[in-house]
Amino acid sequence: MIRVLIADDQGMVRTGFTVFLSGQPDIEVVGEAANGREAVERASALRPDVVLMDVRMPVMNGLEATRELLSRGGAPKVLILTTFDLDDYVYEALRAGASGFLLKDASAAQLAEAVRVVAAGEALIAPGITKRLIHEFAKLGGSRPVTGKRPAELTERETEVLTLVAQALSNQEIADKLFVAEQTVKTHVGRVLMKLGLRDRAQAIVFAYETGLVRPGE
């Protein structure tokens, strides 16, 4: 079972998410929190696998709560819930180590799938709109010049895979593009994360943009 904590200051949102997720055979909602401070405290006590974290909350916002949570050992995965007008917050959340984000108007099925994906460590960002949002975040945070230079730690093939990950391609899409097996891509992605000391694909995307390996719109 995937243990989930829902952090949102709107009671109706928490109730709606709880009702739907609790109906999934592989997901258990272990608790709720109405603000960021409560989310940090409840996560420490309940040890969820995934925290659904709203950005705008009283006492402590979702960004601050994410930073505090992920600074501790054995931290859960954090899935940020947001809207388009909060792009700058989400970009900072990804930099802080959040495993991804999902728009609040996503369907119930997308919510459940996002929880599963994040829990499995295959962090994806906002199904269906990933590319558009990543480009927006890169524009907000990508102040470094584009170099296209291969990171010293990576092989040429690993750099190629990282570039494609940064373009929001799935493992299967990367495999098709490089004419290799999907398992080969998974192996490359795992090595990239290990060599660069990154938590997941979300951090790999941020790394690629911030180091100038790729640019928004590529």
Side-chain angles (χ1 to χ4, degrees), residues 172-183:
Q172 186 57 63
E173 290 171 330
I174 295 173
D176 293 342
K177 200 173 187 68
L178 299 181
F179 303 103
V180 298
E182 183 178 3
Q183 185 56 49

Side-chain angles (χ1 to χ4, degrees), residues 13-206:
V13 172
R14 296 197 306 274
T15 298
F17 286 169
T18 297
V19 169
F20 176 75
L21 292 176
S22 295
Q24 302 299 303
D26 57 340
I27 298 175
E28 176 187 8
V29 177
V30 296
E32 300 179 9
N35 60 65
R37 171 53 59 195
E38 190 174 309
V40 172
E41 293 172 351
R42 301 222 70 191
S44 296
L46 298 172
R47 310 295 290 181
D49 300 306
V50 176
V51 176
L52 292 181
M53 185 81 75
D54 186 25
V55 175
R56 283 185 172 172
M57 291 188 291
V59 184
M60 174 187 284
N61 66 41
L63 177 57
E64 294 170 332
T66 296
R67 283 177 175 155
E68 185 164 336
L69 265 181
L70 298 181
S71 69
R72 304 177 179 187
K77 303 288 187 180
V78 175
L79 180 61
I80 297 291
L81 298 169
T82 189
T83 54
F84 271 115
D85 62 333
L86 295 175
D87 284 350
D88 53 339
Y89 284 96
V90 178
Y91 183 79
E92 289 302 319
L94 291 177
R95 294 185 66 190
S99 292
F101 64 89
L102 189 70
L103 294 183
K104 277 193 170 182
D105 62 0
S107 69
Q110 286 177 323
L111 172 63
E113 184 58 24
V115 168
R116 295 184 182 105
V117 167
V118 168
E122 294 291 334
L124 296 177
I125 304 175
I129 55 167
T130 308
K131 297 177 183 178
R132 176 179 175 184
L133 288 174
I134 288 174
H135 295 162
E136 290 301 315
F137 298 154
K139 290 174 186 175
L140 287 166
S143 59
R144 301 184 185 182
V146 176
T147 64
K149 186 177 180 181
R150 173 167 64 87
E153 302 92 336
L154 305 183
T155 65
E156 184 174 344
R157 175 60 87 179
E158 289 166 350
T159 301
E160 189 174 15
V161 169
L162 174 58
T163 300
L164 295 173
V165 166
Q167 293 172 22
L169 298 185
S170 67
N171 285 343
Q172 186 57 63
E173 290 171 330
I174 295 173
D176 293 342
K177 200 173 187 68
L178 299 181
F179 303 103
V180 298
E182 183 178 3
Q183 185 56 49
T184 300
V185 174
K186 288 182 179 180
T187 299
H188 285 312
V189 171
R191 287 175 178 167
V192 168
L193 298 179
M194 180 184 66
K195 288 182 177 181
L196 298 179
L198 303 174
R199 179 190 294 265
D200 52 34
R201 295 172 82 97
Q203 287 198 331
I205 290 169
V206 172

